[in-house]
Amino acid sequence: MALSLLSRQARLRALKIPLALASARRFENTLVETEEDGKIFFVSIARPEKRNAVNAETAKQLSEAFRAFENHDECSVAVFFGKGGSFCAGYDLQELSERDPEKFLKSVPPVGEGDAPMGPSRLKLSKPVIGAIEGHAVAGGMELALICDLRVAAENTVMGIFNRRFGVPLLDGGTARLPYIVGLSRALDLIMTGRPVSAQEAYSMGLVNRVVPNGKALDEAIKLAKLIARFPQESLITERKSVYYSVFNAESFYDALSYEHSKGVKVQTIKDSIKGAKEFLEGKGRKGSFDDYLD
């Protein structure tokens, strides 16, 4: 029994997974693993020997994993990461090289008729996702990082539209999401040059939200997830939805304001507001730190 436990802990350390997750409920597929720990849902790409490059089966399993999160009534936040020290090196070029380019592109269904090549990038999730990025998040892997609401990057993180070098088009929302996150000019810079971006530069342009020491991205993402999960969820989810509407769907500033109002007044926030006001008056959160919201 002792040898078995040590072996399991050694495997967890080798994959850079906090031992705290060892007690989480776990479901394992061959290429993508999901875990539950309280209100947090973990999705991880498990192809460390390929730097977590995504092939067709991995893409399918990623989509299934995020749909499972979306339909999970008890989990309110997802944490998305890659095992073995790399987030995702993009689409599996070995698999791509073995396929006819025209047939491959024709196999990608139009938007609204199926998933994208990397899997879940077309899903419109109603709950937040936090990306924990170590090592490479490039090409399609960067597009997967862009589906996250927040991104935590280790100092060794490298991001970039590396598929520019191979003439592989962006088909997983890169051209749609990146300009809204970093601005038009910076997005064109990254897309047209395909140059690598360090964690610090990514932070400076708003591409990532936190930069942490190597090996700590997942820990920080879990901390953020716990914080978000502790807040009243109805108003948080409604406001998140309003933000996405204002960015991607609103026809005008007035339209965005109207949407915010129409959704906000339907939320039963008065009870939460009164409770929150009482907690604030009792000292919770008054010192400018959210640490007291965490266990």
Side-chain angles (χ1 to χ4, degrees):
M1 178 66 72
L3 287 175
S4 176
L5 178 60
L6 287 173
S7 176
R8 184 162 183 248
Q9 289 180 344
R11 291 198 305 272
L12 289 168
R13 290 193 184 96
L15 293 175
K16 298 186 179 180
I17 302 173
L19 294 180
L21 291 188
S23 61
R25 187 180 177 191
R26 168 172 287 189
F27 305 89
E28 293 190 6
N29 292 315
T30 305
L31 305 171
V32 175
E33 297 180 2
T34 63
E35 304 176 20
E36 302 169 26
D37 190 1
K39 295 182 179 181
I40 304 175
F41 192 94
F42 294 90
V43 178
S44 57
I45 307 175
R47 299 188 79 201
E49 74 285 356
K50 292 282 189 177
R51 290 194 301 176
N52 294 318
V54 170
N55 59 12
E57 181 59 27
T58 307
K60 177 183 176 183
Q61 292 184 19
L62 276 173
S63 294
E64 292 172 349
F66 277 101
R67 287 190 173 94
F69 164 61
E70 178 69 13
N71 296 319
H72 199 299
D73 293 334
E74 296 179 5
C75 290
S76 54
V77 185
V79 173
F80 183 25
F81 65 103
K83 292 191 172 181
S86 191
F87 181 74
C88 176
Y91 199 85
D92 189 331
L93 294 181
Q94 180 176 350
E95 179 179 274
L96 184 61
S97 69
E98 296 170 356
R99 302 181 64 176
D100 179 85
E102 292 186 8
K103 289 183 179 179
F104 172 75
L105 291 176
K106 288 180 179 179
S107 71
V108 179
V111 176
E113 298 181 18
D115 293 328
M118 297 294 292
S121 61
R122 293 176 179 174
L123 298 180
K124 192 174 182 181
L125 300 172
S126 65
K127 298 181 286 187
V129 178
I130 301 172
I133 305 173
E134 302 265 356
H136 283 77
V138 297
M142 180 166 165
E143 290 184 282
L144 285 181
L146 295 178
I147 74 174
C148 302
D149 297 82
L150 302 175
R151 286 161 292 280
V152 178
E155 292 173 341
N156 68 350
T157 292
V158 177
M159 305 181 78
I161 309 296
F162 283 13
N163 42 312
R164 174 59 54 246
R165 307 174 185 184
F166 312 107
V168 179
L170 292 171
L171 295 173
D172 283 79
T175 63
R177 292 188 177 93
L178 189 59
Y180 281 100
I181 294 173
V182 303
L184 174 63
S185 185
R186 282 180 171 142
L188 288 173
D189 175 12
L190 300 185
I191 290 170
M192 292 192 298
T193 67
R195 66 181 180 84
V197 178
S198 68
Q200 286 297 335
E201 184 182 3
Y203 177 75
S204 71
M205 68 173 67
L207 184 54
V208 302
N209 304 89
R210 307 280 194 282
V211 176
V212 297
N214 295 340
K216 298 296 183 180
L218 185 54
D219 292 334
E220 182 67 16
I222 292 171
K223 182 179 179 181
L224 281 171
K226 287 182 177 180
L227 171 65
I228 292 171
R230 290 291 299 271
F231 292 136
Q233 289 299 299
E234 190 172 4
S235 60
L236 187 150
I237 294 303
T238 299
E239 290 160 12
R240 175 184 179 274
K241 187 175 181 180
S242 292
V243 169
Y244 275 98
Y245 181 84
S246 70
V247 169
F248 290 105
N249 303 104
E251 297 179 358
S252 65
F253 180 60
Y254 178 81
D255 182 27
L257 288 177
S258 299
Y259 185 91
E260 177 189 69
H261 176 76
S262 65
K263 298 299 178 182
V265 295
K266 294 179 181 180
V267 178
Q268 297 178 357
T269 58
I270 300 301
K271 182 178 179 181
D272 289 336
S273 298
I274 293 174
K275 178 184 177 183
K278 289 180 178 178
E279 290 178 345
F280 183 80
L281 290 173
E282 292 170 358
K284 193 171 187 179
R286 296 185 69 174
K287 297 181 179 180
S289 171
F290 288 107
D291 289 343
D292 53 350
Y293 282 88
L294 302 176
D295 292 332

